[in-house]
Coordinates of all heavy atoms in Angstrom, one line a residue:
M1 N -26.4 9.1 11.3 CA -25.7 9.0 10.0 C -26.6 9.0 8.8 O -26.3 9.6 7.9 CB -24.8 7.6 10.2 CG -24.2 7.3 8.8 SD -22.8 8.4 8.6 CE -22.1 7.7 7.2
S2 N -27.7 8.3 9.0 CA -28.6 8.2 7.8 C -29.2 9.6 7.4 O -29.7 9.7 6.3 CB -29.7 7.2 8.0 OG -30.5 7.6 9.0
A3 N -29.3 10.6 8.4 CA -29.8 11.9 8.0 C -28.8 12.9 7.7 O -29.0 14.0 7.5 CB -30.7 12.3 9.2
S4 N -27.5 12.4 7.6 CA -26.5 13.4 7.4 C -26.3 13.7 5.9 O -26.9 13.1 5.0 CB -25.1 12.8 7.9 OG -24.7 11.8 6.9
E5 N -25.5 14.8 5.7 CA -25.3 15.2 4.3 C -24.5 14.2 3.5 O -24.5 14.2 2.3 CB -24.5 16.6 4.3 CG -25.4 17.7 4.9 CD -24.6 19.1 5.0 OE1 -23.5 19.1 4.4 OE2 -25.1 19.9 5.6
M6 N -23.8 13.3 4.2 CA -23.0 12.2 3.5 C -23.8 11.4 2.6 O -23.3 10.8 1.6 CB -22.2 11.4 4.5 CG -21.2 12.2 5.3 SD -20.5 11.3 6.6 CE -19.8 9.9 5.7
V7 N -25.1 11.2 2.9 CA -25.9 10.3 2.0 C -27.0 11.1 1.2 O -27.8 10.5 0.6 CB -26.7 9.3 2.9 CG1 -25.7 8.3 3.5 CG2 -27.5 9.9 4.0
E8 N -26.8 12.4 1.1 CA -27.7 13.2 0.3 C -27.6 12.9 -1.2 O -28.6 12.9 -1.9 CB -27.5 14.7 0.5 CG -28.1 15.2 1.7 CD -27.9 16.7 1.8 OE1 -27.6 17.4 0.9 OE2 -28.2 17.3 2.9
F9 N -26.4 12.5 -1.6 CA -26.2 12.2 -3.0 C -26.9 10.9 -3.5 O -27.1 10.6 -4.7 CB -24.8 12.1 -3.3 CG -24.0 11.0 -2.7 CD1 -23.9 9.7 -3.3 CD2 -23.5 11.1 -1.4 CE1 -23.4 8.6 -2.7 CE2 -22.9 10.0 -0.8 CZ -22.8 8.8 -1.4
V10 N -27.3 10.0 -2.6 CA -28.0 8.8 -2.9 C -29.4 9.0 -3.1 O -30.1 9.6 -2.3 CB -27.8 7.7 -1.7 CG1 -28.4 6.5 -2.1 CG2 -26.3 7.5 -1.5
Q11 N -29.9 8.5 -4.2 CA -31.3 8.7 -4.6 C -32.2 7.7 -3.7 O -31.7 6.7 -3.5 CB -31.6 8.4 -6.1 CG -30.9 9.3 -7.0 CD -31.4 10.8 -6.9 OE1 -32.6 10.9 -6.7 NE2 -30.6 11.7 -6.8
K12 N -33.4 8.1 -3.3 CA -34.2 7.3 -2.6 C -34.5 6.0 -3.4 O -34.7 6.0 -4.6 CB -35.6 8.0 -2.3 CG -35.3 9.1 -1.2 CD -36.7 9.7 -0.8 CE -36.4 10.7 0.2 NZ -37.3 10.9 1.2
G13 N -34.5 4.9 -2.7 CA -34.7 3.6 -3.3 C -33.4 2.9 -3.7 O -33.5 1.9 -4.3
E14 N -32.3 3.6 -3.6 CA -31.0 3.0 -4.1 C -30.4 2.1 -3.0 O -29.5 1.3 -3.3 CB -30.0 4.1 -4.5 CG -30.4 4.7 -5.8 CD -29.3 5.5 -6.4 OE1 -28.1 5.3 -5.9 OE2 -29.6 6.4 -7.2
F15 N -30.9 2.1 -1.7 CA -30.4 1.3 -0.7 C -31.1 -0.1 -0.8 O -32.3 -0.2 -0.7 CB -30.6 1.8 0.7 CG -29.7 3.0 1.0 CD1 -30.1 4.3 0.9 CD2 -28.4 2.7 1.3 CE1 -29.3 5.3 1.2 CE2 -27.5 3.6 1.7 CZ -27.9 5.1 1.6
E16 N -30.3 -1.1 -1.0 CA -30.9 -2.5 -1.0 C -31.2 -3.0 0.4 O -32.3 -3.5 0.6 CB -29.8 -3.4 -1.6 CG -30.3 -4.8 -1.9 CD -31.2 -4.9 -3.1 OE1 -31.1 -4.0 -4.0 OE2 -32.0 -5.8 -3.3
Y17 N -30.3 -2.7 1.3 CA -30.6 -3.2 2.7 C -30.3 -2.1 3.7 O -29.4 -1.2 3.5 CB -29.5 -4.3 3.1 CG -29.7 -5.6 2.3 CD1 -29.0 -5.8 1.1 CD2 -30.7 -6.5 2.7 CE1 -29.1 -7.0 0.5 CE2 -30.8 -7.7 2.0 CZ -30.1 -7.9 0.8 OH -30.2 -9.1 0.1
L18 N -31.1 -2.1 4.8 CA -30.9 -1.2 5.9 C -30.6 -2.2 7.1 O -31.4 -3.0 7.4 CB -32.1 -0.4 6.2 CG -32.2 0.3 7.6 CD1 -31.1 1.2 7.8 CD2 -33.5 0.9 7.8
I19 N -29.5 -2.1 7.6 CA -29.1 -2.9 8.8 C -28.9 -2.0 9.9 O -28.0 -1.1 9.9 CB -27.7 -3.7 8.5 CG1 -27.9 -4.5 7.3 CG2 -27.4 -4.6 9.7 CD1 -26.6 -5.2 6.8
V20 N -29.6 -2.2 11.0 CA -29.6 -1.4 12.2 C -29.0 -2.3 13.3 O -29.6 -3.2 13.8 CB -31.0 -1.0 12.7 CG1 -30.8 -0.1 13.9 CG2 -31.6 -0.1 11.5
D21 N -27.8 -2.0 13.7 CA -27.1 -2.7 14.8 C -27.5 -2.1 16.1 O -27.8 -0.9 16.2 CB -25.5 -2.7 14.6 CG -24.8 -3.7 15.5 OD1 -25.4 -4.6 16.0 OD2 -23.6 -3.5 15.7
E22 N -27.6 -2.9 17.1 CA -28.1 -2.4 18.4 C -29.4 -1.7 18.4 O -29.6 -0.6 19.0 CB -26.9 -1.6 19.0 CG -25.6 -2.2 19.3 CD -25.7 -3.4 20.3 OE1 -26.7 -3.6 20.9 OE2 -24.6 -4.1 20.3
A23 N -30.3 -2.3 17.6 CA -31.6 -1.8 17.4 C -32.4 -1.5 18.7 O -33.4 -0.7 18.6 CB -32.3 -2.6 16.3
C24 N -32.1 -2.3 19.7 CA -32.9 -2.1 20.9 C -32.4 -1.0 21.8 O -33.1 -0.6 22.7 CB -32.8 -3.4 21.7 SG -33.6 -4.8 21.0
Q25 N -31.3 -0.4 21.4 CA -30.8 0.7 22.3 C -31.1 2.1 21.8 O -30.6 3.1 22.4 CB -29.2 0.6 22.4 CG -28.8 -0.8 23.1 CD -27.4 -0.9 23.3 OE1 -26.6 0.1 23.2 NE2 -26.9 -2.0 23.6
A26 N -31.9 2.3 20.8 CA -32.3 3.6 20.3 C -33.8 3.6 20.3 O -34.5 2.7 20.1 CB -31.9 3.8 18.8
V27 N -34.4 4.9 20.7 CA -35.8 5.0 20.7 C -36.4 4.8 19.3 O -35.7 4.9 18.2 CB -36.2 6.4 21.2 CG1 -35.8 6.5 22.6 CG2 -35.8 7.5 20.4
E28 N -37.6 4.4 19.2 CA -38.3 4.1 17.9 C -38.1 5.1 16.8 O -37.7 4.8 15.7 CB -39.8 3.8 18.2 CG -40.5 3.3 17.0 CD -41.9 2.9 17.3 OE1 -42.4 3.1 18.4 OE2 -42.5 2.3 16.4
L29 N -38.3 6.4 17.2 CA -38.3 7.4 16.1 C -36.8 7.5 15.5 O -36.7 7.7 14.3 CB -38.7 8.8 16.7 CG -40.1 8.8 17.1 CD1 -40.5 10.1 17.7 CD2 -41.0 8.6 15.9
T30 N -35.8 7.3 16.4 CA -34.5 7.3 15.8 C -34.2 6.2 14.8 O -33.6 6.3 13.8 CB -33.4 7.2 17.0 OG1 -33.7 8.3 17.9 CG2 -32.0 7.2 16.5
N31 N -34.8 5.0 15.1 CA -34.7 3.9 14.3 C -35.4 4.1 13.0 O -35.0 3.5 11.9 CB -35.2 2.6 14.9 CG -34.2 1.9 15.8 OD1 -33.1 1.8 15.5 ND2 -34.7 1.5 16.9
L32 N -36.4 5.0 12.9 CA -37.1 5.2 11.7 C -36.5 6.1 10.7 O -36.9 6.2 9.5 CB -38.5 5.7 12.1 CG -39.5 4.6 12.8 CD1 -40.8 5.2 13.1 CD2 -39.6 3.3 12.0
I33 N -35.6 6.9 11.2 CA -35.0 7.9 10.3 C -34.4 7.3 9.0 O -34.7 7.9 7.9 CB -33.8 8.7 11.0 CG1 -34.4 9.6 12.2 CG2 -33.0 9.6 10.1 CD1 -33.5 10.2 13.1
P34 N -33.7 6.2 9.0 CA -33.1 5.6 7.8 C -34.3 5.2 6.8 O -33.9 5.0 5.6 CB -32.3 4.5 8.2 CG -32.2 4.5 9.7 CD -33.2 5.5 10.2
F35 N -35.4 5.0 7.2 CA -36.6 4.5 6.3 C -36.8 5.6 5.3 O -37.5 5.3 4.3 CB -37.8 4.3 7.2 CG -37.7 2.9 7.8 CD1 -37.0 2.7 8.9 CD2 -38.4 1.7 7.3 CE1 -37.0 1.4 9.6 CE2 -38.3 0.5 7.8 CZ -37.6 0.3 9.0
M36 N -36.4 6.9 5.5 CA -36.6 7.9 4.5 C -35.8 7.6 3.2 O -36.1 8.1 2.2 CB -36.2 9.3 5.0 CG -34.7 9.4 5.2 SD -34.4 11.1 5.8 CE -32.7 11.2 5.7
H37 N -34.9 6.7 3.3 CA -34.1 6.2 2.0 C -34.8 5.1 1.4 O -34.3 4.5 0.4 CB -32.7 5.9 2.4 CG -32.0 7.0 3.1 ND1 -31.7 8.1 2.3 CD2 -31.6 7.2 4.3 CE1 -31.1 9.0 3.1 NE2 -30.9 8.5 4.3
N38 N -36.0 4.6 1.9 CA -36.7 3.6 1.2 C -36.0 2.2 0.9 O -35.9 1.9 -0.2 CB -37.3 4.2 -0.1 CG -38.5 3.4 -0.7 OD1 -39.1 2.6 0.1 ND2 -38.7 3.4 -1.9
P39 N -35.4 1.7 1.9 CA -34.7 0.4 1.7 C -35.6 -0.7 1.3 O -36.7 -0.7 1.6 CB -34.0 0.1 3.1 CG -35.0 0.7 4.0 CD -35.5 2.0 3.4
K40 N -35.0 -1.6 0.5 CA -35.8 -2.8 0.1 C -36.1 -3.8 1.2 O -37.1 -4.5 1.3 CB -35.3 -3.3 -1.2 CG -35.2 -2.4 -2.4 CD -34.7 -3.1 -3.7 CE -35.0 -2.1 -4.8 NZ -33.9 -1.4 -5.3
K41 N -35.0 -4.0 2.0 CA -35.0 -4.9 3.0 C -34.5 -4.3 4.3 O -33.6 -3.5 4.2 CB -34.2 -6.2 2.7 CG -34.6 -6.9 1.4 CD -34.9 -8.3 1.8 CE -35.1 -9.0 0.4 NZ -36.4 -9.6 0.3
V42 N -35.0 -4.7 5.5 CA -34.6 -4.1 6.8 C -34.2 -5.2 7.7 O -35.0 -6.2 7.9 CB -35.7 -3.3 7.4 CG1 -35.3 -2.8 8.8 CG2 -36.1 -2.1 6.5
I43 N -33.0 -5.1 8.3 CA -32.5 -6.1 9.2 C -32.3 -5.4 10.5 O -31.5 -4.5 10.6 CB -31.3 -6.8 8.7 CG1 -31.5 -7.5 7.4 CG2 -30.8 -7.8 9.7 CD1 -30.3 -7.9 6.7
L44 N -32.9 -5.7 11.6 CA -32.7 -5.2 12.9 C -32.0 -6.2 13.7 O -32.4 -7.3 13.9 CB -34.1 -4.9 13.6 CG -35.0 -3.9 12.9 CD1 -36.4 -3.8 13.6 CD2 -34.3 -2.6 12.7
V45 N -30.8 -5.8 14.3 CA -30.0 -6.6 15.1 C -29.9 -6.1 16.5 O -29.7 -4.9 16.7 CB -28.5 -6.6 14.5 CG1 -27.6 -7.5 15.3 CG2 -28.5 -7.0 13.0
G46 N -30.2 -6.9 17.5 CA -30.2 -6.5 18.8 C -30.7 -7.6 19.7 O -31.2 -8.7 19.4
D47 N -30.6 -7.3 21.1 CA -31.1 -8.2 22.1 C -31.9 -7.4 23.1 O -31.4 -6.6 23.8 CB -29.8 -8.9 22.8 CG -30.3 -9.9 23.8 OD1 -31.4 -10.0 24.1 OD2 -29.3 -10.6 24.3
Q48 N -33.3 -7.7 23.0 CA -34.2 -6.9 23.9 C -34.0 -7.2 25.4 O -34.5 -6.5 26.2 CB -35.6 -7.2 23.5 CG -36.2 -8.5 23.8 CD -35.8 -9.6 22.9 OE1 -34.9 -9.5 22.0 NE2 -36.4 -10.8 23.0
K49 N -33.2 -8.2 25.7 CA -32.9 -8.5 27.1 C -31.7 -7.8 27.6 O -31.3 -7.9 28.8 CB -32.7 -10.0 27.3 CG -34.1 -10.7 26.9 CD -34.1 -12.1 27.4 CE -35.2 -13.0 26.9 NZ -36.5 -12.5 27.2
Q50 N -30.9 -7.0 26.8 CA -29.8 -6.3 27.2 C -30.2 -4.8 27.4 O -31.3 -4.6 27.9 CB -28.7 -6.4 26.1 CG -28.1 -7.8 26.2 CD -26.8 -7.8 25.2 OE1 -26.5 -6.9 24.6 NE2 -26.2 -9.0 25.2
L51 N -29.3 -4.0 27.1 CA -29.6 -2.5 27.4 C -30.8 -2.0 26.6 O -30.9 -2.1 25.4 CB -28.4 -1.7 27.1 CG -27.2 -1.9 28.0 CD1 -26.0 -1.1 27.4 CD2 -27.4 -1.4 29.4
P52 N -31.8 -1.2 27.2 CA -32.8 -0.7 26.6 C -32.5 0.7 26.0 O -31.3 1.1 26.2 CB -33.9 -0.5 27.7 CG -33.1 -0.2 28.8 CD -31.8 -1.2 28.8
A53 N -33.4 1.3 25.2 CA -33.2 2.6 24.7 C -33.0 3.6 25.9 O -33.6 3.4 27.0 CB -34.4 3.1 23.9
T54 N -32.1 4.5 25.8 CA -31.8 5.5 26.9 C -32.6 6.7 26.8 O -32.7 7.4 25.8 CB -30.3 5.9 26.8 OG1 -29.5 4.7 26.9 CG2 -29.9 6.8 27.9
V55 N -33.3 7.0 27.8 CA -34.2 8.2 27.9 C -34.0 8.8 29.3 O -33.7 8.0 30.3 CB -35.7 8.1 27.6 CG1 -35.9 7.7 26.2 CG2 -36.2 7.0 28.5
F56 N -34.1 10.0 29.5 CA -33.9 10.7 30.8 C -35.2 11.3 31.3 O -35.1 12.2 32.2 CB -32.8 11.7 30.7 CG -31.5 11.1 30.4 CD1 -31.0 11.2 29.0 CD2 -30.8 10.4 31.3 CE1 -29.8 10.6 28.7 CE2 -29.6 9.8 30.9 CZ -29.1 10.0 29.7
S57 N -36.4 10.9 30.9 CA -37.6 11.6 31.2 C -38.6 10.5 31.7 O -38.8 9.6 31.0 CB -38.2 12.3 30.0 OG -39.5 12.7 30.2
E58 N -39.2 10.7 32.8 CA -40.2 9.8 33.2 C -41.5 9.8 32.3 O -42.1 8.8 32.0 CB -40.8 10.2 34.7 CG -39.8 9.9 35.7 CD -39.6 8.4 35.9 OE1 -40.7 7.6 35.8 OE2 -38.5 8.0 36.2
N59 N -41.7 11.0 31.7 CA -42.8 11.1 30.7 C -42.5 10.2 29.4 O -43.3 9.6 28.9 CB -43.0 12.6 30.3 CG -44.3 12.7 29.4 OD1 -45.3 12.2 29.6 ND2 -44.0 13.5 28.4
A60 N -41.2 10.1 29.0 CA -40.9 9.3 27.9 C -41.1 7.9 28.2 O -41.6 7.1 27.3 CB -39.4 9.6 27.6
I61 N -40.9 7.5 29.4 CA -41.2 6.1 29.8 C -42.7 5.9 29.9 O -43.2 4.8 29.4 CB -40.4 5.8 31.1 CG1 -38.9 5.8 31.0 CG2 -40.9 4.4 31.7 CD1 -38.1 5.9 32.3
D62 N -43.4 6.7 30.5 CA -44.8 6.7 30.6 C -45.6 6.6 29.3 O -46.6 5.9 29.2 CB -45.4 7.8 31.5 CG -44.9 7.7 32.9 OD1 -44.4 6.7 33.4 OD2 -45.0 8.9 33.7
T63 N -45.1 7.3 28.3 CA -45.8 7.4 27.1 C -45.2 6.4 26.0 O -45.6 6.4 24.8 CB -45.7 8.8 26.4 OG1 -44.2 9.1 26.3 CG2 -46.3 9.8 27.4
A64 N -44.2 5.5 26.5 CA -43.6 4.5 25.6 C -42.7 5.1 24.5 O -42.4 4.4 23.6 CB -44.7 3.6 25.0
Y65 N -42.3 6.4 24.7 CA -41.3 7.0 23.8 C -40.1 6.2 23.9 O -39.3 6.2 22.9 CB -41.2 8.4 24.1 CG -40.0 9.1 23.3 CD1 -40.4 9.5 22.0 CD2 -38.8 9.3 23.7 CE1 -39.5 10.1 21.1 CE2 -37.8 9.8 22.9 CZ -38.2 10.2 21.6 OH -37.1 10.8 20.8
S66 N -39.7 5.6 25.0 CA -38.5 4.8 25.3 C -38.5 3.6 24.5 O -37.4 2.9 24.5 CB -38.2 4.7 26.8 OG -39.3 3.9 27.3
R67 N -39.5 3.1 23.9 CA -39.7 1.8 23.2 C -38.8 1.9 22.0 O -38.8 2.9 21.2 CB -41.1 1.5 22.9 CG -41.2 0.3 22.1 CD -42.7 -0.1 21.8 NE -43.3 1.2 21.2 CZ -44.6 1.5 21.3 NH1 -45.4 0.6 21.8 NH2 -45.1 2.5 20.7
S68 N -38.1 0.8 21.6 CA -37.4 0.8 20.4 C -38.3 0.2 19.2 O -39.3 -0.4 19.5 CB -36.2 -0.1 20.5 OG -36.5 -1.4 20.7
F69 N -37.9 0.4 18.0 CA -38.6 -0.1 16.9 C -38.6 -1.7 16.9 O -39.6 -2.3 16.7 CB -38.0 0.4 15.6 CG -38.7 -0.1 14.4 CD1 -40.1 0.3 14.2 CD2 -38.1 -0.8 13.4 CE1 -40.7 -0.1 13.0 CE2 -38.8 -1.1 12.2 CZ -40.1 -0.8 12.0
F70 N -37.5 -2.2 17.4 CA -37.3 -3.6 17.5 C -38.4 -4.2 18.5 O -38.9 -5.2 18.3 CB -35.8 -3.8 18.1 CG -35.4 -5.3 18.2 CD1 -34.6 -5.7 17.2 CD2 -35.8 -6.1 19.1 CE1 -34.0 -7.0 17.1 CE2 -35.3 -7.4 19.2 CZ -34.4 -7.9 18.1
E71 N -38.5 -3.5 19.7 CA -39.5 -3.9 20.6 C -40.9 -3.9 20.1 O -41.7 -4.7 20.3 CB -39.5 -3.0 21.9 CG -38.3 -3.1 22.8 CD -38.3 -2.3 23.9 OE1 -37.8 -1.1 23.8 OE2 -38.8 -2.6 25.1
R72 N -41.2 -2.8 19.3 CA -42.6 -2.7 18.7 C -42.8 -3.9 17.8 O -43.9 -4.5 17.8 CB -42.7 -1.5 17.9 CG -44.1 -1.3 17.2 CD -44.2 -0.1 16.4 NE -44.4 1.0 17.0 CZ -45.6 1.6 17.4 NH1 -46.7 0.9 17.1 NH2 -45.7 2.8 18.0
M73 N -41.8 -4.3 17.0 CA -41.9 -5.5 16.1 C -42.2 -6.7 16.9 O -43.1 -7.5 16.6 CB -40.7 -5.7 15.2 CG -40.5 -4.5 14.3 SD -41.8 -4.3 13.0 CE -42.6 -2.9 13.7
L74 N -41.4 -6.9 18.0 CA -41.6 -8.1 18.9 C -43.0 -8.1 19.4 O -43.7 -9.2 19.5 CB -40.6 -8.2 20.0 CG -39.2 -8.6 19.5 CD1 -38.2 -8.5 20.6 CD2 -39.1 -9.9 18.8
N75 N -43.4 -7.0 20.0 CA -44.7 -6.9 20.6 C -45.9 -7.1 19.7 O -47.0 -7.4 20.1 CB -45.0 -5.5 21.3 CG -44.0 -5.3 22.5 OD1 -43.5 -6.2 23.0 ND2 -43.8 -4.0 22.8
N76 N -45.6 -7.0 18.3 CA -46.7 -7.2 17.4 C -46.6 -8.6 16.7 O -47.1 -8.8 15.6 CB -46.7 -6.1 16.4 CG -47.3 -4.8 17.0 OD1 -48.5 -4.7 17.1 ND2 -46.5 -3.8 17.3
G77 N -45.8 -9.4 17.3 CA -45.7 -10.8 16.8 C -44.8 -11.0 15.6 O -44.7 -12.1 15.0
I78 N -43.9 -10.0 15.3 CA -43.0 -10.3 14.2 C -41.6 -10.9 14.7 O -41.1 -10.2 15.7 CB -42.7 -8.9 13.4 CG1 -44.0 -8.4 12.8 CG2 -41.6 -9.1 12.4 CD1 -43.9 -7.1 12.2
E79 N -41.2 -12.0 14.2 CA -40.0 -12.6 14.8 C -38.7 -12.0 14.2 O -38.7 -11.7 13.0 CB -40.2 -14.1 14.6 CG -41.4 -14.6 15.3 CD -41.5 -16.2 15.0 OE1 -40.5 -16.8 14.4 OE2 -42.4 -16.8 15.4

């Protein structure tokens, strides 16, 4: 949704908040797409103990492509 034409009319920096629901179920790069809108605050909602990001490649798993942005934040000590 965040990369769609529907939000092209919004100038960068006009988004006060970015809320990503089910942030653990999308790969990291997908979670980063809305950052192009330069939000002032980011809220990631999810449960890392439930469904992980879905990938269909062993290589994606081996290279940590399957990791979500939420997981990266947790792995780096951000609560």
Side-chain angles (χ1 to χ4, degrees):
M1 173 75 175
S2 64
S4 75
E5 293 178 9
M6 293 173 59
V7 293
E8 280 185 13
F9 66 91
V10 177
Q11 297 295 318
K12 290 188 181 209
E14 286 191 22
F15 283 104
E16 189 76 24
Y17 295 96
L18 165 62
I19 301 171
V20 181
D21 192 18
E22 300 297 350
C24 293
Q25 293 184 19
V27 297
E28 184 171 10
L29 294 177
T30 302
N31 278 317
L32 294 178
I33 292 170
F35 281 78
M36 71 183 188
H37 299 294
N38 197 25
K40 293 182 173 110
K41 304 236 186 241
V42 177
I43 300 168
L44 301 175
V45 181
D47 183 351
Q48 74 278 11
K49 298 194 187 301
Q50 289 186 356
L51 293 172
T54 302
V55 294
F56 297 102
S57 164
E58 286 294 322
N59 188 43
I61 295 168
D62 295 343
T63 60
Y65 177 80
S66 61
R67 175 182 52 205
S68 69
F69 185 60
F70 192 101
E71 288 178 275
R72 180 186 283 271
M73 296 295 104
L74 287 176
N75 291 342
N76 284 286
I78 297 173
E79 298 179 5

